[in-house]
Amino acid sequence: MSVAPENYIALSAVLFFIGVVGVISRRNPLIMLMAVELLFNSANLALVAYARAWANNAGHIFAFLVITVAAAEAAIALAIVAVTFRRTPFVDVDEVSALKG
Amino acid sequence: MIAFWILALLMIASAVFTVTAKKPVYSVVGLLANFVCLAALYLELQAEFLAVIQIVVYSGAILILFVFVIALLSSGVRPFDVGPNRAPHILYPAIVIAVLALAGMTVSALRTPVAVVQLPVGQTGDANAFGSVGNFGTALFTTNLLPFEVTAFILMVAVIGVVLIAGDEDPTTGVVRRRKRPGAREPIVKSEPTIR
């Protein structure tokens, strides 16, 4: 590998940071979900970089598991968004407070 | 070497665009660019199968799902747009703390060298080279069979859950749940042309 693995890990950290900022600061549920996808992808990048550095493909298996979980999460979360939006049209996750105690 | 830095810059730029875009559709485009660059990075890390999966599953399936939901939701009353930031008064201290934490993380990641195991030279493209489909499949179906079955179970649970949550009918009672959205546009009915 021509690039040292530390660089991949640093890139993964930067992407994770951008994703966290997106989840925290945006109010649109769809963009929050996309920021969550960014988080999954930065974790995957770190897994694959370490898998290559140690020539051990357990990291690939784990990244595969993460991709599957991300697909399931996106499907269920988007279904929840669609159902909630059908009930009351909202653009702000703070408006949805039906489960508030 | 230079490919890594170009891809890294593209990934950071597209991630920032995804998070800051005004409309969700723009975010989807930024995310698409991010995923394609990530697939290229996977290729550089010799994870061929994961690169293909990244394109097929992420760019192909998940993003299309996002686009469908955006199209579904924004066909209604008001544009599915973004409000102001959630907590403006804590924004600047939060940015300072976050940038410091990020700098610490990045510097410590760069300062910690990882010992790289060298792969045999000239093995790339071989059927059983590291990260190839054969290598990945062998590992998936022999040593890691249980995680593979768990993924199948997760997908099945997700499919059942989506149908339960978003289906038109309540599956336990058979009652149709769909009701008119308040404020939704009336369907346009074409009136008969009047003959004068």
Side-chain angles (χ1 to χ4, degrees):
Chain A
M1 77 198 280
S2 58
V3 182
E6 301 92 77
N7 295 322
Y8 287 98
I9 306 304
L11 174 64
S12 159
V14 172
L15 289 175
F16 195 89
F17 164 77
I18 297 172
V20 167
V21 169
V23 173
I24 292 175
S25 72
R26 296 308 296 265
R27 308 164 92 180
N28 188 319
L30 291 175
I31 296 183
M32 287 174 73
L33 284 176
M34 285 185 234
V36 171
E37 299 295 330
L38 275 181
L39 300 185
F40 279 123
N41 276 299
S42 66
N44 268 351
L45 180 60
L47 283 173
V48 174
Y50 277 123
R52 169 60 193 86
W54 294 328
N56 181 351
N57 58 12
H60 292 182
I61 305 286
F62 213 113
F64 179 72
L65 192 61
V66 170
I67 289 177
T68 313
V69 171
E73 174 259 1
I76 292 184
L78 288 174
I80 292 175
V81 169
V83 166
T84 320
F85 192 83
R86 192 190 292 166
R87 191 156 302 181
T88 48
F90 69 102
V91 289
D92 183 348
V93 284
D94 292 345
E95 287 175 22
V96 184
S97 55
L99 291 181
K100 201 173 180 179
Chain B
M1 182 73 185
I2 195 121
F4 171 79
W5 293 109
I6 294 174
L7 286 172
L9 278 181
L10 277 177
M11 281 186 79
I12 293 174
S14 60
V16 169
F17 180 75
T18 303
V19 165
T20 57
K22 239 177 134 68
K23 292 187 175 172
V25 182
Y26 299 159
S27 285
V28 169
V29 176
L31 208 55
L32 177 64
N34 197 305
F35 288 167
V36 171
C37 293
L38 189 62
L41 275 188
Y42 283 170
L43 276 185
E44 204 175 342
L45 286 167
Q46 298 177 23
E48 301 163 14
F49 183 71
L50 279 182
V52 176
I53 285 291
Q54 177 77 16
I55 294 288
V56 171
V57 174
Y58 262 118
S59 321
I62 297 184
L63 282 187
I64 291 298
L65 197 61
F66 271 104
V67 171
F68 273 155
V69 170
I70 290 169
L72 182 74
L73 297 191
S74 56
S75 64
V77 276
R78 45 179 170 159
F80 202 67
D81 217 333
V82 205
N85 202 310
R86 182 174 292 157
H89 54 283
I90 59 163
L91 183 63
Y92 294 108
I95 285 178
V96 170
I97 294 172
V99 167
L100 284 180
L102 173 75
M105 263 165 68
T106 313
V107 167
S108 64
L110 286 174
R111 282 266 181 98
T112 321
V114 180
V116 179
V117 178
Q118 294 299 327
L119 292 179
V121 184
Q123 211 199 359
T124 314
D126 201 1
N128 278 317
F130 173 75
S132 67
V133 179
N135 179 296
F136 182 87
T138 309
L140 188 63
F141 290 122
T142 54
T143 37
N144 299 295
L145 188 60
L146 183 64
F148 173 70
E149 288 174 349
V150 168
T151 58
F153 187 71
I154 289 173
L155 285 179
M156 189 186 71
V157 169
V159 169
I160 295 174
V162 166
V163 172
L164 275 179
I165 291 171
D168 265 351
E169 252 175 43
D170 193 333
T172 51
T173 58
V175 178
V176 178
R177 287 193 291 219
R178 179 181 292 277
R179 76 178 71 126
K180 209 166 146 285
R181 206 159 60 198
R185 286 199 204 107
E186 290 294 323
I188 300 165
V189 183
K190 272 208 167 157
S191 55
E192 293 289 318
T194 49
I195 303 162
R196 299 185 182 180

